[in-house]
Amino acid sequence: MTTAGRAGRLMEPLRAGIAVVLVAAAVGLVGCTPGPAPKPTPTPLFTSEAEAFKAAEQVYRDYTDAGNAAHGGDSEAKPEQYLAGVALEDEISVQRQLEEQKLKVVGPIRIVSFEGTGFESATARVTAKVCLDVKDARVVDASGTDVTPRGRQEQGLLDLAFTRSGGGLVIIESKNSDAKCSAVAP
């Protein structure tokens, strides 16, 4: 056997060994390739129903304060920042109607009571009932004449819904309730 023949036979196991090492390394690299990033589990916004109700009440109080400030002429007040969805659409619609008819609301609206009625932890949806005192709020025309409907109730009950927005809540629904305010404990 020639020297070249012996060298070729010695190289075969070496080549096979190198090939095995390369395949193993390639398989190892594929196994180490990161898969798709795991989707983070959403962190619950609230640790308890009581905490959710307290947060919803604060959002509604902030919204009411901003609305009262806007009615009082504060151009910096932005009550719409507390709204989303249907509640925001309704607010925009009401403001357009008031502007078109050259009407405005004057005087404060006050919260008499706020009662949380439901909480879904997974979605951070909160529902509540709020009793509002509107006796000092009036609708006036461009000349300042009071055009508030006669016989209007001094208090009104609303059914509210809130949902998560970022790290807090926004009001997504506000509907007049058929019940009277006395149905909500003060």
Side-chain angles (χ1 to χ4, degrees):
M1 194 183 246
T2 66
T3 310
R6 262 189 262 149
R9 276 193 220 152
L10 291 173
M11 292 299 281
E12 284 179 26
L14 183 58
R15 284 188 200 133
I18 292 173
V20 168
V21 169
L22 290 175
V23 169
V27 169
L29 288 175
V30 170
C32 292
T33 302
K39 293 183 181 176
T41 304
T43 305
L45 191 55
F46 305 108
T47 58
S48 69
E49 181 179 77
E51 185 181 343
F53 291 160
K54 183 177 179 180
E57 181 174 0
Q58 187 60 55
V59 167
Y60 199 78
R61 288 188 181 280
D62 292 345
Y63 165 72
T64 302
D65 290 346
N68 285 335
H71 296 155
D74 182 350
S75 62
E76 300 295 313
K78 304 288 183 219
E80 63 276 359
Q81 73 182 334
Y82 301 99
L83 305 172
V86 174
L88 179 58
E89 292 168 12
D90 289 348
E91 176 79 10
I92 291 168
S93 176
V94 166
Q95 292 308 316
R96 280 188 190 139
Q97 289 174 9
L98 289 171
E99 287 174 18
E100 287 169 3
Q101 297 175 24
K102 298 185 182 355
L103 300 174
K104 66 180 183 175
V105 177
V106 296
I109 294 172
R110 293 183 184 87
I111 297 173
V112 175
S113 62
F114 185 98
E115 177 188 356
T117 57
F119 170 57
E120 297 170 13
S121 179
T123 60
R125 182 178 170 90
V126 179
T127 56
K129 291 190 178 294
V130 65
C131 178
L132 297 176
D133 180 335
V134 295
K135 71 178 172 244
D136 294 329
R138 298 281 178 234
V139 179
V140 296
D141 65 18
S143 68
T145 303
D146 186 345
V147 294
T148 307
R150 300 216 187 282
R152 176 190 70 169
Q153 299 293 318
E154 291 186 352
Q155 292 185 342
L157 187 64
L158 298 176
D159 291 318
L160 305 173
F162 302 78
T163 197
R164 181 182 201 144
S165 177
L169 293 174
V170 289
I171 304 159
I172 58 170
E173 195 173 287
S174 177
K175 296 190 287 188
N176 289 324
S177 175
D178 293 333
K180 301 286 182 206
C181 277
S182 59
V184 176

